[in-house]
Amino acid sequence: MSEKPDEILTLFSKSEELLEMFRKGRAFTEELMAENERLRYRIVQLEKEKMDLSGTLMREVERLRLENGQMSQKLDFLDGRFHEIEAENKDFAQRYVEVEEQNENLANLYVASYQLHSTLDPGEVVQCIKEILMNLIGSEEFGLFVVDEETSELVLAGWEGEIAARLDRGRVAFGEGLEGIVALKGDPFFTEDAGERGEVCACIPLKIKERVVGVIAIYKLLPHKGRLSALDHQLLELLAGHAATALVSSKLYATADRKLKTIEGFMSLLRVK
Amino acid sequence: MSTKSLLVVDDSTTFRQLLCMSLVRLDGITEDNITQAFDGADALKKVQSGQFDLVLTDIKMPNMDGLEFVNKVRNELNRKDLPIIIISTKGAEDDIERGMQMGANGYLSKPISMSQLRELVTTLLGH
């Protein structure tokens, strides 16, 4: 009989323990369920956050794509501008070279015309024209003809090369040969290339207004010169005007000076008598 | 920039004037510092008596040509340090080679480009 209460007590104790265990299990289960609830809520929150972030990200991507497109357009525009400016720059550099070249030619023309008009001696004027043709134009063989109005012929006044040997008495009749035709018509003649020996590559009339007073014929250029440029043509035509004036004025001065000296000599003779 | 003295040798007055006009556009060169000579002999006397930083000479000249002048400056006056530029209508490769062998420091063929001349002068003067 005494064993029964002990057993009962043990049973109670065990059932208490079991109960306690169930209670703990229940609490733990409740805790788990609460945690589960919390986690589910958190998942919903995170899902929502994810959706929000995804929307933001998409919007950001779209914005960046748009920006990228705009930047690409800008880059294309800048690239185009850069090429335009580069081309403009090249054009300006080319124009600078041209202006510099023209400047040089103007300086050449200035010095040449200054020298041409610095003397009243016909011989010095002819020498000056020769120097210009050799040093500034680059002529190797040329002839400077002046008009003999009495015979209507061109007379060779200065030359370089073999032209004198080729001409009969150093004269060319008006209308004969290229020199004569140029003198008759009064228009300059240029060929594209430097001619072979004896072939005219430039022939320019020396004119005072419409009156032809001479002709410059270039037969051959210096080997390294190659050809006459458009600027050479201009320079030659401008120089021709100055050369014509210088030649005529020096000739007139020489004639007048000679006459004056004759008259002075005559007068002094009269005074002596 | 220090002033430089130049000697221009050519029998053509027009060309000498032209060179002077172009050279005075360079820094340190004024018309007063450019001496002119009409041939090699005249130039040689001027090199003996004066002090020049650079000489520009033609080849084809009366009395003494440019090549003989360069030769005398280098060998008789023993002026190996004096920069000399030859400017000539003779522009063939042989002519250029001969000029350089004589002792020239530069060679330009007429008709010359003035900007090219100024570039060469600037280089030789060590600007």
Side-chain angles (χ1 to χ4, degrees):
Chain A
M1 196 59 195
S2 60
E3 275 177 17
K4 284 231 175 172
D6 284 346
E7 266 174 36
I8 289 167
L9 276 172
T10 312
L11 268 171
F12 266 120
S13 157
K14 278 186 179 171
S15 70
E16 273 303 313
E17 271 175 30
L18 203 65
L19 208 63
E20 188 58 27
M21 242 171 69
F22 277 129
R23 246 185 250 119
K24 276 184 185 168
R26 186 182 162 194
F28 181 65
T29 308
E30 278 172 356
E31 216 174 278
L32 272 176
M33 281 182 71
E35 183 64 16
N36 183 277
E37 189 65 25
R38 199 183 59 78
L39 285 172
R40 279 170 65 190
Y41 178 70
R42 185 77 191 121
I43 285 170
V44 171
Q45 266 186 329
L46 285 171
E47 283 281 338
K48 193 172 171 291
E49 262 174 39
K50 185 188 143 196
M51 295 265 285
D52 287 350
L53 280 172
S54 168
T56 313
L57 193 68
M58 289 296 281
R59 275 196 303 279
E60 193 64 16
V61 166
E62 194 54 38
R63 192 184 63 78
L64 284 173
R65 193 174 291 144
L66 203 73
E67 219 168 70
N68 196 22
Q70 282 173 345
M71 293 303 266
S72 286
Q73 274 179 348
K74 265 187 194 168
L75 191 70
D76 287 346
F77 171 74
L78 287 174
D79 202 35
R81 258 324 264 147
F82 174 74
H83 283 107
E84 268 174 39
I85 288 168
E86 205 178 25
E88 239 172 56
N89 201 18
K90 272 184 194 162
D91 187 45
F92 277 125
Q94 178 66 28
R95 274 168 65 186
Y96 173 79
V97 171
E98 279 170 17
V99 168
E100 185 70 14
E101 211 173 317
Q102 273 177 348
N103 242 358
E104 260 181 33
N105 280 303
L106 280 173
N108 289 355
L109 182 69
Y110 168 75
V111 174
S113 50
Y114 177 83
Q115 289 298 322
L116 277 171
H117 296 296
S118 66
T119 176
L120 284 167
D121 178 346
E124 281 181 17
V125 172
V126 169
Q127 183 57 32
C128 187
I129 294 170
K130 281 175 66 180
E131 286 176 8
I132 292 166
L133 289 172
M134 281 190 284
N135 295 324
L136 299 192
I137 306 294
S139 319
E140 190 177 16
E141 198 176 325
F142 57 85
L144 166 66
F145 299 87
V146 288
V147 171
D148 181 344
E149 279 168 357
E150 281 175 18
T151 59
S152 285
E153 282 179 321
L154 289 170
V155 184
L156 193 61
W159 69 92
E160 194 68 37
E162 296 165 4
I163 175 65
R166 287 203 304 273
L167 287 178
D168 179 32
R169 301 176 295 124
R171 283 171 180 263
V172 178
F174 260 49
E176 267 181 29
L178 193 63
E179 301 92 337
I181 294 168
V182 166
L184 193 68
K185 291 194 172 174
D187 295 325
F189 170 86
F190 295 104
T191 49
E192 271 304 301
D193 305 310
E196 292 296 316
R197 188 159 288 273
E199 184 190 323
V200 179
C201 67
C203 200
I204 309 104
L206 305 179
K207 290 200 295 189
I208 296 176
K209 290 199 171 170
E210 288 312 305
R211 184 180 148 218
V212 177
V213 296
V215 162
I216 290 173
I218 299 173
Y219 303 101
K220 198 180 173 196
L221 298 174
L222 291 166
H224 56 270
K225 171 76 180 176
R227 59 189 283 276
L228 290 174
S229 66
L231 275 170
D232 287 326
H233 293 184
Q234 283 177 6
L235 188 65
L236 269 170
E237 286 184 54
L238 288 167
L239 278 172
H242 284 285
T245 323
L247 269 174
V248 170
S249 51
S250 63
K251 244 167 85 178
L252 286 175
Y253 179 81
T255 312
D257 196 42
R258 206 166 48 239
K259 279 183 184 166
L260 182 71
K261 276 178 186 152
T262 313
I263 291 167
E264 274 175 355
F266 185 65
M267 294 292 282
S268 61
L269 263 176
L270 280 178
R271 260 186 241 117
V272 170
K273 281 183 181 177
Chain B
M1 183 76 57
S2 60
T3 317
K4 303 286 182 187
S5 283
L6 270 63
L7 176 64
V8 174
V9 193
D10 200 306
D11 57 331
S12 160
T13 318
T14 313
F15 198 70
R16 286 202 309 265
Q17 289 298 329
L18 213 103
L19 287 180
C20 293
M21 203 171 152
S22 175
L23 291 167
V24 291
R25 284 179 63 187
L26 291 172
D27 283 341
I29 298 172
T30 62
E31 220 165 311
D32 296 338
N33 300 321
I34 303 177
T35 308
Q36 299 187 19
F38 49 85
D39 63 27
D42 183 30
L44 200 67
K45 274 186 215 159
K46 283 175 173 155
V47 169
Q48 273 176 309
S49 58
Q51 198 63 43
F52 297 103
D53 298 295
L54 185 105
V55 177
L56 298 112
T57 180
D58 186 15
I59 290 186
K60 226 169 106 182
M61 290 180 292
N63 302 324
M64 186 192 291
D65 72 18
L67 291 178
E68 193 183 340
F69 163 68
V70 176
N71 188 33
K72 284 187 189 287
V73 169
R74 294 289 186 237
N75 300 314
E76 283 183 19
L77 303 184
N78 208 22
R79 292 291 309 273
K80 307 241 191 293
D81 58 321
L82 179 64
I84 302 176
I85 299 173
I86 292 178
I87 303 172
S88 170
T89 49
K90 291 166 179 258
E93 270 184 37
D94 289 355
D95 299 312
I96 297 172
E97 211 179 297
R98 201 173 307 131
M100 298 307 273
Q101 273 172 359
M102 278 291 171
N105 301 82
Y107 197 109
L108 294 170
S109 307
K110 286 182 190 174
I112 59 164
S113 144
M114 292 300 172
S115 48
Q116 216 177 332
L117 167 77
R118 285 193 293 270
E119 209 174 292
L120 185 58
V121 169
T122 309
T123 310
L124 290 175
L125 286 177
H127 275 191

